[in-house]
Amino acid sequence: MEPDITGKPVAGKAESQLRKGVLEYCVLAILRDGPRYGVELLETLGAVHVMVTSQGTIYPLLSRLRRDGLVETHWEESPSGPPRRYYELTPSGHTALKEFTAIWPHFRDAVDHFITD
């Protein structure tokens, strides 16, 4: 990552494109362990530097995953503040994650083949 004029790191084009390509599956993987609400997902992704993303990215992604039938939602009261929308995997979401998990090592190895000296 290169810093912007304020000194904050800014993702390069390659990093940004890679993140866009795998973010959906990282979210599905996080949800494999149980329901989460949006801010929890952002925090979990943010714990891995290259996966830091924003609310402006995660909520449209979650809406699309919901429309595609990969996640479902329910509301729960929050101990502090308004109710929270929790997202959890559907059977289709588990299947999509399983397919990605099977494909990923081969894809990663293929890319490594071309970029490794």
Side-chain angles (χ1 to χ4, degrees), residues 73-93:
T73 65
H74 67 274
W75 290 92
E76 286 186 23
E77 291 297 321
S78 169
S80 59
R84 294 175 176 157
R85 181 186 295 236
Y86 280 78
Y87 299 83
E88 60 185 309
L89 287 181
T90 62
S92 295

Side-chain angles (χ1 to χ4, degrees), residues 16-91:
S16 179
Q17 290 300 313
L18 286 168
R19 183 175 32 257
K20 285 179 188 177
V22 299
L23 186 61
E24 153 179 349
Y25 296 100
C26 291
V27 168
L28 294 178
I30 293 166
L31 294 175
R32 173 184 49 210
D33 298 329
R36 303 276 185 107
Y37 63 96
V39 172
E40 281 183 306
L41 290 167
L42 284 169
E43 290 171 353
T44 302
L45 289 164
V48 178
H49 184 68
V50 298
M51 296 307 295
V52 171
T53 192
S54 68
Q55 289 185 11
T57 297
I58 198 72
Y59 286 110
L61 170 65
L62 289 167
S63 292
R64 185 173 53 77
L65 293 174
R66 185 174 174 210
R67 278 192 315 273
D68 292 347
L70 301 178
V71 301
E72 58 190 11
T73 65
H74 67 274
W75 290 92
E76 286 186 23
E77 291 297 321
S78 169
S80 59
R84 294 175 176 157
R85 181 186 295 236
Y86 280 78
Y87 299 83
E88 60 185 309
L89 287 181
T90 62

Side-chain angles (χ1 to χ4, degrees), residues 103-117:
I103 293 167
W104 179 251
H106 305 290
F107 190 85
R108 181 191 59 226
D109 291 347
V111 171
D112 284 348
H113 171 80
F114 292 108
I115 64 173
T116 304
D117 290 333

